[in-house]
Amino acid sequence: MAEKKKNTVTAVWELAQPIAEQLGLVLWDVRFIKEGVNWYLRIIIDREDRAVDIDDCVNMSHAIDGPLDELDPIEQAYSLQVQSPGIERELTRDFHFEKYIGEPIMIKFIHAFNGTREYKGTLLSYDNGDISMELPSGDTLDFNKKETSWIKLDDFGGF
């Protein structure tokens, strides 16, 4: 099933990318996930010039609806959701990390890392999944993205 999801996300990304650009949007992420018994296709959009508003979400939803039906990359029933990455946006793709080097982040590890699962600090570098962050103590923490449950911008001081 994981391979099917990867193919679905890739197909939708390739379809959504030029549509988002035409609308003056940045395609932030595409997620195809199951929550309970329901499947959701989430297209997450951003803007460089201002915050995403409801009109941006509606415009993207309308613009992609027909091409998505034509492509038909998803076998089961699903709900389409178009949304902004929001505050404390999750960093998942390479370009997310590259854009936010020098910014405060929060991390939750899958397993305790040095006895703790949650850290916050400043993103120092990112290279193909390898991440370095400076902790408030001044120490540096190096790890791979695969070791984490999530990584988010720390817009409010986190935790």
Side-chain angles (χ1 to χ4, degrees), residues 12 21 47 59 80 108 110-111 118 138:
V12 173
E21 286 178 6
R47 291 192 69 103
N59 291 340
L80 172 64
K108 184 170 187 178
I110 296 168
H111 304 288
E118 296 178 345

Side-chain angles (χ1 to χ4, degrees), residues 52-64:
V52 170
D53 62 23
I54 190 71
D55 292 332
D56 294 320
C57 295
V58 169
N59 291 340
M60 182 67 184
S61 182
H62 288 176
I64 200 163

